[in-house]
Amino acid sequence: MVSTGVASGPEVRASVERFSNEDLGSLLERFQASGMLDEGRVNLIGLDAIASRLGDRWEGRREQIYQHVERSLGKHLESGGFFQRVSPTDYLVVQPGLGKFGGQASCMLYLRDLLGHFLGGAAPEALDVMEVTSLSGGRIFAVEIDACYALDAARTEPRIAPPGDDVPPQAWNPFVAADGRTLRVSCHLEPVFELKTFAQIGFRIVRRVLAVPSEIELGPHELRNLTTADIEKVDLATIARGISRLKSEQGNARHPTLFLPVSYTTLASQRGRGPLIARFKEATQGVDRGLVCEITDIEGVPGSALAAATVMIKPFCMIVVGKLREPPGRTPEDLRGVRLQGVAFEAGPHPLDRGEFTAWAEHAVTTARRVTRSVIIHGLSGPEYLGLAGLAGATHGSLSARPVQPV
């Protein structure tokens, strides 16, 4: 459904109104706060040419097309780039590192390649890229771009400051995931102890990802099924929320260290690594000894690939450990030779009987120590279990945080 009018630009351009199946209020707030909407740096890519060519076959193939678009668009966008499907045939695209015309040119080049993939080429008029001027409820107002003018202006347009620094991860929290759900990242802090001396050495950030507006927390399986781009957003927002939480709860007090959870896929992504390193540098300002990077989602990752990711992040943190989803029941063979400085896992609903807990912990710790010296048990239910974990051979442990109001 489209209505036309006029708007100003390099020349008079048609104004377009498109209807979204999403409430765009949160996006409007983010884009206005960053200034990108006023600067004309929010674009809309249309798939109407593909839908029109496919005709009756569109409904049967569109999920396949969405998957291709989101996978290829994620690779095309520069670090810090953001996209969201807002209607059956429209994607909002933002590239913080590019100016107005650079972003428009980038969208045109991408759409040209996309049309070539699905249609074998397309006429210039099929390059449906528009400049968004306003978002209101479920409506998107945009103007057609002058393609020739944008391509020419992009050649001399200065680049914007690196996206890792100019667009904080809070800007995309909450965000709309590739599957259409709106997700909000929250967190709480758990105190971490060195078990030989029972001295607190800092805090770990424990992430929570909630579906909005239900506020239902995503489970481990749902988190693993998020796209790489969505996991990057979760990682960046988790660190930002954790730093904010630490400052609000601890004031100006400094702590020896901070444990930061980071997915392997984010570390392995060239796009996600730059903003991640920027967040690590920011986090070091609140600690004395340095950061501990806990690489999550490492199950099934070849040891050589995990070792390469570890090398990339080591210069920005004190220690790198591998975070297992569950206490190891057998030796994690993939971690042999990776040279991780520790292995961590959740205590989960561990046995509350002291004898049962000790047997459980001894087995898990012994298994983990076959590949590393340091073993960290997270989420212990009380101080007495710190002592029992230490007797079982664990080197560090964290206490499960009391329920707090999510940030």
Side-chain angles (χ1 to χ4, degrees):
M1 293 182 288
V2 178
S3 62
T4 59
V6 292
S8 60
E11 59 184 42
V12 176
R13 299 175 290 170
S15 176
V16 174
E17 178 182 352
R18 298 222 172 177
F19 295 88
S20 173
N21 49 10
E22 300 286 342
D23 184 347
L24 304 172
S26 60
L27 284 178
L28 174 63
E29 181 179 344
R30 290 175 236 169
F31 296 149
Q32 284 185 331
S34 66
M36 289 184 288
L37 187 64
D38 292 338
E39 295 167 5
R41 294 166 57 202
V42 180
N43 294 305
L44 194 68
I45 288 179
L47 309 183
D48 299 81
I50 299 175
S52 177
R53 180 75 66 86
L54 291 177
D56 294 340
R57 293 176 295 159
W58 165 254
E59 286 299 324
R61 293 194 57 189
R62 68 175 187 169
E63 289 301 326
Q64 175 191 353
I65 292 170
Y66 293 156
Q67 291 176 12
H68 177 88
V69 169
E70 287 155 16
R71 183 172 58 251
S72 59
L73 192 54
K75 294 178 180 178
H76 175 82
L77 298 185
E78 297 197 357
S79 179
F82 167 84
F83 65 89
Q84 176 183 325
R85 179 163 54 86
V86 292
S87 83
T89 56
D90 292 299
Y91 279 82
L92 273 176
V93 178
V94 179
Q95 298 190 72
L98 297 179
K100 171 179 177 176
F101 300 112
Q104 291 176 357
S106 175
C107 286
M108 285 189 288
L109 292 173
Y110 168 76
L111 188 54
R112 184 187 65 187
D113 291 343
L114 183 70
L115 295 175
H117 176 81
F118 283 107
L119 306 181
E125 60 269 17
L127 294 178
D128 191 10
V129 177
M130 290 167 284
E131 174 191 326
V132 176
T133 57
S134 178
L135 304 171
S136 176
R139 295 185 297 171
I140 304 169
F141 299 92
V143 291
E144 295 177 353
I145 66 171
D146 185 324
C148 293
Y149 186 94
L151 290 170
D152 185 60
R155 297 188 180 98
T156 56
E157 184 178 49
R159 290 186 61 85
I160 310 298
D165 299 322
D166 69 334
V167 179
Q170 299 97 312
W172 311 133
N173 188 26
F175 66 93
V176 178
D179 61 10
R181 289 180 296 177
T182 298
L183 303 180
R184 182 173 70 85
V185 178
S186 178
C187 76
H188 62 266
L189 301 175
E190 287 187 356
V192 181
F193 297 84
E194 196 275 318
L195 298 184
K196 187 175 182 180
T197 63
F198 292 101
Q200 183 178 344
I201 63 170
F203 291 92
R204 71 179 285 233
I205 299 173
V206 184
R207 73 182 181 187
R208 299 177 68 217
V209 182
L210 309 170
V212 177
S214 67
E215 295 294 299
I216 296 175
E217 184 172 359
L218 271 63
H221 181 71
E222 290 178 294
L223 290 173
R224 290 196 295 273
N225 284 339
L226 294 177
T227 66
T228 298
D230 289 339
I231 291 172
E232 289 173 12
K233 295 184 180 74
V234 168
D235 283 343
L236 294 176
T238 297
I239 296 174
R241 287 298 198 189
I243 295 172
S244 175
R245 171 71 81 185
L246 189 65
K247 290 178 179 178
S248 66
E249 292 186 0
Q250 306 299 318
N252 294 324
R254 294 176 65 86
H255 296 274
T257 194
L258 182 64
F259 286 62
L260 305 179
V262 178
S263 172
Y264 164 76
T265 58
T266 300
L267 281 179
S269 165
Q270 185 175 1
R271 176 188 60 198
R273 202 176 304 134
L276 182 67
I277 290 172
R279 303 283 75 77
F280 266 66
K281 291 179 179 177
E282 179 185 357
T284 59
Q285 299 174 8
V287 297
D288 288 326
R289 292 185 58 192
L291 306 172
V292 175
C293 176
E294 287 193 334
I295 307 178
T296 66
D297 303 320
I298 59 176
E299 286 80 0
V301 176
S304 57
L306 183 57
T310 301
V311 169
M312 292 177 185
I313 200 63
K314 270 186 176 179
F316 307 99
C317 53
M318 179 179 66
I319 293 174
V320 179
V321 304
K323 173 69 162 46
L324 301 174
R325 296 189 191 113
E326 299 176 350
R330 57 185 178 84
T331 303
E333 297 292 348
D334 287 345
L335 301 186
R336 289 189 184 277
V338 178
R339 297 184 179 180
L340 290 169
Q341 293 156 295
V343 168
F345 51 86
E346 297 288 339
H350 61 72
L352 295 181
D353 177 87
R354 294 188 177 190
E356 292 180 1
F357 174 82
T358 299
W360 170 86
E362 284 180 347
H363 175 72
V365 170
T366 299
T367 302
R369 293 194 73 163
R370 291 172 183 158
V371 296
T372 187
R373 291 184 178 181
S374 297
V375 179
I376 308 161
I377 303 181
H378 285 312
L380 293 165
S381 58
E384 65 272 26
Y385 292 98
L386 289 173
L388 294 174
L391 291 174
T395 56
H396 299 80
S398 70
L399 285 177
S400 180
R402 291 172 297 182
V404 293
Q405 184 66 29
V407 293

